[in-house]
Amino acid sequence: MSLRLGDNAPNFTAVTSLGELNFYEYLGDSWGVLFSHPADFTPVCTTELGRTAALNEEFAKRNVKPIAISVDDVKSHKEWISDINDTQNVSVQFPIIADEDKKVSELYDMIHPNASETVTVRSVFIIDPAKKVRLTLTYPASTGRNFNEIIRVIDSLQLTDKHKLATPVDWSNGDSCIVTPAVDTEKAKELFGKVEVIRPYLRYVKQPNK
Ligand code: BEZ
């Protein structure tokens, strides 16, 4: 069965471009972004892994460790990383899992046989420090993902964990946030200051940590 929000992210050991690792040990107390791609030396994947490397500091600022996976072998990953670094003008520092036996891909349901019997689709799992799955995304092979959106969701999840606020449509870091129904308006004023009440169920406050 596929993984659902709130499920425990399954642990595994795997061979990667940075050596063998245990997933939970690799994550430690960090958040994780585990994302699959169909194959090495393919154009869309090359741009995605380049973008992930370019966002290295943004991930680090948020205490997030990225880790990629495909069913290609380590030798191929290492050769491809040189190409990614060259063509995308980056330095890939995060591990890429070589899931030749498809153990991890199957654990995370990343092979969708009606799309392809043999390779992973573009899955994304955001995993929190308690090892709970907090977001799942699945994209087709032909569509590169938007890594700004992945960072945006991490910002929203971390804000929710810290301040018990929600974030509205198209929110980006710094925009007004939404008071959840569990918090009454008096309490919201105490916690966040001014509350803009549009309807009793639709209330905005300034983002607290900005
Ligand atoms: C790509 O990464 O460019 C790609 C991979 C598999 C199918 C289509 C595109």
Side-chain angles (χ1 to χ4, degrees):
M1 198 172 80
S2 57
L3 287 167
R4 294 174 175 179
L5 301 189
D7 287 355
N8 286 321
N11 195 18
F12 55 81
T13 54
V15 174
T16 80
S17 53
L18 299 181
E20 188 167 320
L21 61 71
N22 173 288
F23 186 48
Y24 279 14
E25 282 172 15
Y26 168 70
L27 292 179
D29 293 328
S30 301
W31 290 66
V33 175
L34 172 65
F35 64 104
S36 56
H37 57 272
D40 295 359
F41 297 101
T42 50
V44 177
C45 301
T46 300
T47 61
E48 286 191 327
L49 272 78
R51 181 76 181 129
T52 307
L55 287 168
N56 185 37
E57 273 183 33
E58 295 302 317
F59 284 119
K61 259 200 273 182
R62 293 163 175 81
N63 190 30
V64 180
K65 289 184 177 174
I67 178 166
I69 173 170
S70 80
V71 299
D72 295 304
D73 63 29
V74 167
K75 182 170 175 288
S76 161
H77 283 349
K78 286 184 176 166
E79 287 167 5
W80 184 40
I81 285 170
S82 293
D83 255 16
I84 298 169
N85 290 345
D86 251 21
T87 61
Q88 308 301 302
N89 198 23
V90 293
S91 169
V92 170
Q93 305 286 341
F94 56 86
I96 308 177
I97 297 169
D99 195 34
E100 283 183 274
D101 61 3
K102 303 189 173 74
K103 187 182 78 180
V104 180
S105 310
E106 280 165 9
L107 199 57
Y108 278 80
D109 196 28
M110 291 163 163
I111 294 180
H112 296 195
N114 290 324
S116 166
E117 294 271 0
T118 52
V119 299
T120 44
V121 290
R122 295 187 199 281
S123 301
V124 182
F125 295 87
I126 296 180
I127 296 162
D128 72 16
K131 311 292 182 290
K132 300 286 181 199
V133 173
R134 299 292 296 273
L135 167 129
T136 64
L137 272 180
T138 310
Y139 270 47
S142 51
T143 306
R145 287 157 286 196
N146 184 334
F147 280 73
N148 292 327
E149 170 62 1
I150 292 169
I151 296 273
R152 190 187 79 92
V153 176
I154 291 164
D155 284 341
S156 173
L157 288 168
Q158 293 184 344
L159 185 85
T160 299
D161 286 1
K162 192 159 179 199
H163 298 288
K164 308 272 176 281
L165 287 166
T167 56
V169 60
D170 294 341
W171 174 86
S172 56
N173 203 354
D175 291 351
S176 294
C177 302
I178 281 184
V179 180
T180 61
V183 178
D184 68 37
T185 301
E186 281 316 300
K187 184 73 186 168
K189 282 181 187 162
E190 237 175 73
L191 292 171
F192 309 113
K194 188 171 178 292
V195 180
E196 189 188 354
V197 182
I198 310 290
R199 289 286 186 277
Y201 61 85
L202 179 58
R203 298 162 300 164
Y204 290 94
V205 292
K206 275 194 163 162
Q207 185 173 325
N209 52 355
K210 284 283 153 182

